[in-house]
Amino acid sequence: MGPLEVETDSGLVELGGARQRAALAFLLLHANRVVPTSQLLDALWPTDRAPLTARKILQNAVWRLRRALAHAAGPEGGPELVTRAPGYMVRVRPEDVDLLVFQQRVAEGRAALAADDPMTASRVLREALSLWQGVALADLVEDGTIWPQLTAVQEMRLDVMEDRFEAELACGGHHAVLRELEAYVEAEPLRERASQQLMTALYRCGRQAEALGVYSRARAALVGGLGLEPGRQMQLLQQSVLTQDPSLDLLPEVMARREQALAAAASPAPGSTDRERDAHGAHGAGVATAPALAAHATPEAAPGPVPAGPPEETDEPLNTRQPATILMLRFHLGAEFDHLPPKDVDRVLDAVSQLAREKIEEFGGEVAASIGSVQLGYFAHPPERTSGAERAVRAGTSVRDCLSVPAAPHTPVVRGLQVEAAVTTGEAVVTQWTVAGAVRPWIGGDLVDVCQDMLDQTPGGMVQVCDLTRRLTESRITYHRAGSSRSRWHVRAIGPVAEAPGERCPSQASEREYELDLMHGLLRRARHRSMPHLITVLGESGLGKTRLLMEFRRRLSVEKDPVRVLTGSVPRPGSGGPLSAPAEMFAAYCGIGDEDTERTALGKAEAALIRLAGSDGARPMLAALDPLIAPARPAHRTPSIGETLGAWRDFLVKAALAQPLVLIWDDLHHADDILLETVEHLTDTSADVPLLNVVGARALLLELRPDWAGGRQHSMTISLAPVAADTLDRLLRSLLVPDGSADVA
């Protein structure tokens, strides 16, 4: 019901690597049933990809899992992983597995629905769905796990959501589920039952034209995607809407029962205290609901529901409905962090969470919740300040940009660390609680639920906003649609801040504006005169120069006159050769991804070179560049490193002639002599070419080559002065130097 976790009274159980987690997950999908070894092997390794030692690896994984699960045993016992011919079985109590609890509650809810008790059905099904914390086994799905059993669980969740919608509609809750239904149908346009439910809800809300619009969109999706017309039930529903069939209206007795139930829920119990009456009235009327966030220790945690309620130490709360914008951020730690002990993973999450908190407050928001890998920011809309919507979007993009290099999609600065953000604007339920003498907001309502749903559908490295947020901010922020959605948008570029009188809004990289102006000026000169230029950025710690290069790259991505930007980071000695960074740049230019096969990569490289040099010129260039494309592939004649770098230099010249080109290098002080020679003399051998070569390095570069760029025309060196340490500096040091005992290159 989210990332795989085994939780005890003392905390989470460490389950080990991906193979062990996958084995336990598959066994839990078949809890209390024997899973044959052959079936388990097929699940852990795709067809024909299992190694010869697969059975031995599985045995070792089972042995380690048994040891891990032994820690989960309590006074009443715990899960057991036992060997039962012809395989293995996890023996566990049904009430200890979220999936089994979910299935039991679903059965109860469906029984109530069949017994014509929609109020009970709605409550029980809502409780069942609250167990979900995102995609089932999200950590394994993220790694590419695809099992039919897992797909069936996901489909069951969709069926149950539709059962709950049916129960809500049956007891007159069409207003309550309308937003959820709209979001659901947008995400699942081919599920006819949900489209019919949305049509019914819209009709009962007096929005007949929109109900017919749902039918039109559903028909277009079915015909365009599957070549099928809508089913007979949906066609009949369309006719009923057109003729305003009375059967679509709720029966008077249903509305009467609902009003009685709501009145009973809003009435405090006899003898209750003033505080209990206040809380009961607020929750019974649907006024104060807690933000749907769940605490998880794993990096892949997704927001999920938690019981509504204030902190224990409170004064009397003040409940209000206010126009506001909600920002929700979630951080992901990939497989690159699997080797870290739990305390270091917690330290990483603390560091990025602190970054998020500082950015939210810097842009005028309040941190309403900070739980595990999820942060929730609240931006009010007081009339005397700049729009809270704009500030929320800027805060979300600022956090994202601090942790990524602006590529397409954004590339994490630290491999494996990624963030996504969602922003929604509307009316929020705000409960002000006084905790330890400080007033803190407790945010709830539909606005938080919508934001959570959006976050679950936001790709890594993206900032997604609702349509109202876009409309409020589009004069200074540009967007593009999120897929085929009509109501969700991804941030494309951020414009300058329009400040209110007497108000100061934060700006990124303000301490480096002078250096950025110099770099932009040299770029304009290189373009105007079609002359290559070299910029060397020297920074002692490495952090300042990296951030400057990132900001320069980011600003180039939103310029009106586009340039082609290629970036490369030179690895430390021993972790890569002189061709690593050129290969990174060449792959980016040709559109070669990590998932491409060798044949696909060669095809993309050949197509790019033919566009630049024609068929005859591409052949010898492709042969010389072969080590950049497939370094491990045996060839009839392997070109030398010098030949490859020479061909790579010719490729850059042709690429710059086709479109002005900017090369951005980081950590060039790690480079071998042959690469240093190539980079330094690139501007000498590329006359009449609009090429800007930007090099980032530590001052060690001048020790290695004291005459670096000395006496050359069209070159400039920027030595960065120290600036005040900020959150990102501390974060990078925390991630790259675990104990802070060494410097960061």
Side-chain angles (χ1 to χ4, degrees), residues 55-340:
R55 191 173 292 269
K56 183 63 175 178
I57 294 173
L58 175 59
Q59 291 171 351
N60 290 336
V62 169
W63 176 74
R64 293 190 181 95
L65 283 172
R66 282 195 179 118
R67 294 182 59 188
L69 293 178
H71 296 292
E76 301 178 2
E80 285 186 279
L81 203 171
V82 298
T83 303
R84 289 287 184 273
Y88 302 97
M89 175 178 68
V90 168
R91 195 157 48 202
V92 64
R93 296 180 302 178
E95 61 269 24
D96 288 341
V97 181
D98 282 349
L99 177 59
L100 300 182
V101 174
F102 171 73
Q103 292 171 340
Q104 175 61 33
R105 292 185 181 175
V106 167
E108 295 171 3
R110 286 174 171 170
L113 193 59
D116 197 22
D117 185 2
M119 294 288 282
T120 300
S122 174
R123 175 181 55 79
V124 174
L125 293 175
R126 190 183 302 111
E127 291 173 357
L129 290 167
S130 71
L131 295 170
W132 285 78
Q133 303 162 9
V135 177
L137 300 179
D139 49 340
L140 300 179
V141 172
E142 188 72 18
D143 291 336
T145 298
I146 302 175
W147 294 330
Q149 298 87 347
L150 193 52
T151 302
V153 171
Q154 297 287 6
E155 289 295 321
M156 183 180 184
R157 180 191 187 186
L158 299 180
D159 292 338
V160 175
M161 290 178 71
E162 292 174 5
D163 290 340
R164 185 178 76 81
F165 294 146
E166 181 179 333
E168 289 280 2
L169 291 174
C171 58
H174 42 274
H175 287 287
V177 298
L178 184 57
R179 288 187 180 180
E180 285 185 80
L181 265 171
E182 288 175 329
Y184 181 88
V185 170
E186 183 179 328
E188 302 289 341
L190 299 180
R191 294 183 72 94
E192 292 187 54
R193 183 188 181 194
S195 293
Q196 293 175 60
Q197 292 169 336
L198 178 56
M199 290 176 65
T200 302
L202 287 168
Y203 180 86
R204 290 178 180 174
C205 291
R207 298 159 63 177
Q208 302 173 37
E210 293 177 58
L212 294 173
V214 172
Y215 177 85
S216 299
R217 291 194 297 273
R219 181 181 182 278
L222 288 166
V223 173
L226 303 175
L228 297 174
E229 288 287 341
R232 179 167 175 77
Q233 285 187 339
M234 195 163 184
Q235 293 181 29
L236 291 174
L237 178 58
Q238 181 207 24
Q239 291 300 316
S240 296
V241 172
L242 287 170
T243 60
Q244 299 183 352
D245 192 326
S247 64
L248 294 179
D249 298 326
L250 276 175
L251 296 175
E253 54 266 31
V254 173
M255 290 303 298
R257 282 201 305 267
R258 180 174 179 83
E259 291 173 1
Q260 291 172 1
L262 290 175
S267 301
S272 59
T273 65
D274 290 341
R275 180 186 299 274
E276 289 170 341
R277 283 195 292 271
D278 289 343
H280 189 96
H283 292 293
V287 174
T289 56
L293 295 175
H296 295 284
T298 57
E300 299 283 348
V306 296
E312 290 183 2
E313 182 188 351
T314 64
D315 293 328
E316 293 299 324
L318 174 63
N319 300 325
T320 59
R321 289 184 175 271
Q322 302 176 7
T325 296
I326 298 298
L327 164 66
M328 199 174 286
L329 295 151
R330 181 169 59 212
F331 299 99
H332 291 275
L333 301 184
E336 292 83 356
F337 290 82
D338 286 349
H339 67 284
L340 294 179

Side-chain angles (χ1 to χ4, degrees), residues 393-394 397 400 462-463 465 469-470 473-481 489-496 557-558:
V393 175
R394 289 183 181 275
T397 54
R400 187 272 312 274
M462 302 300 291
V463 178
V465 309
T469 302
R470 177 193 64 85
T473 60
E474 60 185 351
S475 62
R476 290 175 294 277
I477 301 174
T478 58
Y479 300 91
H480 60 87
R481 289 188 184 276
W489 303 78
H490 288 155
V491 174
R492 173 177 288 169
I494 300 287
S557 67
V558 297

